[in-house]
Amino acid sequence: GKRVVSGAWDGTVKILDAATGVEVRSIDAHVDYQVATVDFSPDGRRIVSGSPSENRVKIWDAESGEMLWSITGRKGAFVDCLPDPLKSSYHFLTARDEELLVFERSFQEEENERSFQEGEKAPVASFMAPGEVTCVEVRGSAILLGCMDGSVVLLRAPFLSA
């Protein structure tokens, strides 16, 4: 069935049945920190959550609730996740102040690294916005940024595929 995911001030990520609203799973995602952003990957296999107060973005297995990967030091947290079936990988985006960072993660890396992973992974691309990034929308190879100063920026990112 269809599921929805939500993040809470208590640091939990909850997966709910979309038809009934019944909780399917609760994950202690960001203990002692609020979850500001959360979403399923488009294939529904992963959940990505972000906590700006913890400065951490985490990727979870949607079925087991197991944490697969963590990036530290990112303010603004997760904003989108896009699988790339041609490359057996996916991209995810984080915002830090005026900077939008794009990371690539291989499904193969996930299978080989099941234990907790700390630290930074170098971004494959970064973009600077005229103000603090508050909203990101991805459509195909276009990225639309909304900024705290009221500006809206359209970026072309041909390396993204949805």
Side-chain angles (χ1 to χ4, degrees):
K2 297 280 186 180
R3 301 171 298 165
V4 294
V5 65
S6 69
W9 286 98
D10 66 359
T12 59
V13 167
K14 297 192 183 297
I15 303 169
L16 307 168
D17 181 285
T20 65
V22 172
E23 183 179 305
V24 175
R25 175 175 309 284
S26 180
I27 301 169
D28 291 326
H30 300 270
V31 178
D32 297 325
Y33 298 97
Q34 78 272 11
V35 176
T37 55
V38 64
D39 203 353
F40 280 108
S41 61
D43 64 5
R45 294 179 51 220
R46 304 286 182 259
I47 296 170
V48 185
S49 64
S51 174
S53 54
E54 187 185 23
N55 285 338
R56 220 176 268 255
V57 174
K58 297 179 181 180
I59 299 176
W60 307 89
D61 181 282
E63 291 303 314
S64 70
E66 178 183 1
M67 189 180 71
L68 301 174
W69 200 54
S70 174
I71 297 177
T72 57
R74 293 290 172 215
K75 178 185 174 189
F78 169 78
V79 289
D80 213 338
C81 182
L82 306 160
D84 185 346
L86 298 177
K87 293 170 60 178
S88 297
S89 66
Y90 57 93
H91 292 92
F92 62 96
L93 296 77
T94 68
R96 179 178 62 192
D97 299 324
E98 294 85 19
E99 186 175 31
L100 177 75
L101 302 175
V102 181
F103 294 88
E104 184 172 19
R105 179 82 173 145
S106 153
F107 289 118
Q108 184 64 36
E109 285 177 298
E110 277 185 8
E111 296 304 318
N112 292 334
E113 300 174 13
R114 300 299 274 177
S115 61
F116 182 82
Q117 299 294 313
E118 288 270 357
E120 299 276 346
K121 181 176 175 77
V124 295
S126 66
F127 302 96
M128 293 303 292
E132 183 176 346
V133 177
T134 58
C135 178
V136 178
E137 183 67 29
V138 178
R139 291 285 185 247
S141 62
I143 303 172
L144 189 65
L145 304 178
C147 301
M148 184 71 81
D149 67 358
S151 61
V152 176
V153 179
L154 177 64
L155 304 169
R156 299 287 178 201
F159 56 86
L160 292 177
S161 62

